Amino acid sequence: MKFTAFERSKQGTGASRRLRITGRTPAIVYGGATPPQVIEIDHNALWHALKKEAFHSSVLTMEIGDTSSPVLLRDVQVHPFKQLILHVDFQRVDASTKLHMKVPLHFFGDENSPAIKTEGCIANHVISEIDVLCLPADLPEFIKVDLSGLKKGSSLHLAEIALPKGVSVVKHGSDKNPVVVSVVAVAGAEPVAAAEPAADAAAKPAAKPAAKSAAKPAEKANKK
């Protein structure tokens, strides 16, 4: 994903305030052997870019004039009540250095799992993103999690998630294998199989009109 930045000559609180008035957002790029560089970005373009998941979790291509360099979004400062981005931090990427990043999880297949399909349960997503360690070339935009095998009373743990090649999980705390998805039974929900008798009962009233029509010839015979 690409974005355009511009060199920034003036620094300081007053300069940053005047920059925001003109529709630009102050930012900085740091890391690697190069000294930190102050830049500015078009605010509206940055605002729309931040709404995309890939802008937060993938290696970005920053274009300044005729040069381009790979960077990662590291920090965003937003105004407490205005729709205004105050400052953004980017980190330079070295192809030979592993990255520590948060990667979102994309869940699929829950509608085909026995727990959700027939056992009246729902899948509770306990964790929506995980910390990973990998080289920039191996960094995934997201990690897919298959929930089709979930059953009532079961849970999906971190160790059960299939990771892309070259990607490892960074674990935190004492729980080295936390629950990612838990199966929760819905109160009052009945298994799908219990709905079959109701379907048969619904079909019975259809036989009543036939009984009435069969009685008409008998009524005519009595009148004669």
Side-chain angles (χ1 to χ4, degrees), residues 20-99:
R20 296 185 190 103
I21 293 174
T22 64
R24 297 286 181 92
T25 299
I28 188 171
V29 185
Y30 60 84
T34 310
Q37 180 182 11
V38 289
I39 59 173
E40 58 187 68
I41 307 171
D42 179 78
H43 181 273
N44 289 341
L46 179 61
W47 179 268
H48 291 292
L50 287 171
K51 294 181 179 180
K52 300 178 181 178
E53 185 181 68
F55 199 77
H56 297 260
S57 60
S58 60
V59 177
L60 309 171
T61 301
M62 181 183 67
E63 297 181 340
I64 301 179
D66 297 330
T67 63
S68 61
S69 55
V71 297
L72 290 172
L73 176 66
R74 282 306 191 187
D75 186 57
V76 181
Q77 297 177 25
V78 183
H79 195 279
F81 58 87
K82 294 180 181 179
Q83 290 188 345
L84 179 66
I85 304 167
L86 300 177
H87 195 275
V88 186
D89 291 4
F90 294 97
Q91 180 185 351
R92 297 186 184 94
V93 172
D94 182 1
S96 60
T97 304
K98 287 190 175 183
L99 304 172

Side-chain angles (χ1 to χ4, degrees), residues 205-224:
K208 291 183 178 179
K212 291 181 179 180
S213 60
K216 289 183 180 179
E219 293 176 359
K220 290 181 181 180
N222 291 335
K223 290 180 180 180
K224 291 180 179 180

Side-chain angles (χ1 to χ4, degrees), residues 151-190:
K151 295 181 181 179
K152 188 174 182 180
S154 67
S155 298
L156 182 70
H157 290 76
L158 183 60
E160 301 173 69
I161 296 178
L163 299 175
K165 184 180 178 180
V167 178
S168 60
V169 176
V170 179
K171 300 176 182 178
H172 303 280
S174 58
D175 190 357
K176 301 302 181 181
N177 191 24
V179 174
V180 177
V181 178
S182 61
V183 177
V184 180
V186 179
E190 296 181 359

